[in-house]
Amino acid sequence: MATAVVGARAVRSAAAAFGSDVIMPRSLMPALAILAGRRWTQPIIFDADGLPADERVEFAGLDANGAPYRLLREIEASMVRKADITLARTDAARDILLARAGPMVSPARVRIVTNGRDATLFAPIPQAERVRIRTELGVATDAPLIVYAGSVGPQYRLDESVGLLAAVRRKRPDAKLLILTGSPDLVPDALAAVPYSPHHVIVRRVPPDAVSAYLACADLATAYRNTGFSMRAVAPVKVAEYLLCGTPVVGTAAIGDVRSAVAAGVFMDESAGHDAAAEWLEERLMRADAEDIRRHAREIGLAHFSLDRAVGDYATALEAI
């Protein structure tokens, strides 16, 4: 916090040197630097990506009744009041920020923007490439392949992905689960409480530029998350990556805004259960209309979760000031 306060002068100097038109602090410590700087000649956009103080309570043991949490909450509310525009990721986050800032902040000053991904980097792959990657993984071309990509931790509920695999394998014993992560050594501990076979669960660490192809070679992706209070304000980029690659998703619909994907039939909420998701995979995603569903997933990804959509959202917010 001391660094943030002292850094206000450095931010002001940098903005002057760069000729910056807008000051855009992202999250709470940059916001503190802006608040400490007092007078700013440029408009201010507060990029409030999530509810970081509440995330620290839920996932890092911060005391919700302690002074540090109360101070972080005051920084958040003060920044929303000071900013010309605040950017949130979900309708729930917008409502929470407005309630905390108080009635002096007009709802028009809090805008929703998406966490988009580059549609040229995350895209479907040709059938020959799909076969090549599956051969490398030891997965038959016509075998169900489920994929999870991302961090390993309790909030990502990898055990649910294994539970889904078990339900699928009751129908298709040749089904496998591919876990793509930068921390493969953490996977055994994350799955210690659930029975699984290493022959059925493939764990890989691949270069960042190769992730897209591995996602695109799967038939179904998983996006399970814990549904704490702070999670109402986040928009996971992995859902964007899956859909842009043409891979339908099963996961936690309460995390982020996936209403468009659910309505389009390319995202199944976990509340349906593993058996329903397994039937969806077997009856629709592995059948003749699978390519149509993949194209539809890609279309939804482009319309609602792409970098172009994010650029448009940000441009609209900038135009407002």
Side-chain angles (χ1 to χ4, degrees), residues 23 25 34-35 43-47 77-87 105 109-110 321:
I23 307 297
I34 299 307
L35 293 170
I44 295 173
I45 294 181
F46 178 33
D47 193 357
S78 296
M79 192 68 252
V80 175
R81 288 191 288 265
K82 183 178 182 62
D84 296 273
I85 293 291
T86 294
L87 306 179
V105 178
R109 287 169 54 191
V110 182
I321 58 172

Side-chain angles (χ1 to χ4, degrees), residues 162-173:
V162 173
L164 173 61
L165 173 66
V168 174
R169 285 182 59 80
R170 286 193 288 270
K171 294 175 174 288
R172 291 290 301 268

Side-chain angles (χ1 to χ4, degrees), residues 25-75:
R26 184 184 183 279
S27 199
L28 298 183
M29 290 302 100
L32 179 58
I34 299 307
L35 293 170
R38 298 189 180 180
R39 299 185 188 88
W40 295 89
T41 58
Q42 302 94 334
I44 295 173
I45 294 181
F46 178 33
D47 193 357
D49 189 354
L51 300 170
D54 299 282
E55 288 184 28
R56 295 184 192 188
V57 170
E58 292 180 333
F59 302 115
L62 185 67
D63 183 3
N65 297 313
Y69 174 72
R70 292 199 300 271
L71 179 57
L72 291 172
R73 280 279 305 274
E74 180 55 34
I75 292 170

Side-chain angles (χ1 to χ4, degrees), residues 1 55 114 120 127 229 274 293 310:
M1 287 190 175
E55 288 184 28
T114 190
T120 63
Q127 179 64 15
F229 175 80
H274 290 154
I293 296 174

Side-chain angles (χ1 to χ4, degrees), residues 82-102:
K82 183 178 182 62
D84 296 273
I85 293 291
T86 294
L87 306 179
R89 297 304 186 275
T90 67
D91 290 335
R94 178 176 178 270
D95 293 342
I96 292 167
L97 292 170
L98 284 169
R100 289 176 171 179

Side-chain angles (χ1 to χ4, degrees), residues 90 92 226-228 231-234 251-258 267 269-270:
T90 67
N226 282 346
T227 54
M231 294 295 98
R232 298 169 62 191
V234 302
T252 311
I255 304 297
D257 184 359
V258 296
F267 190 112
D269 183 40
E270 63 173 302

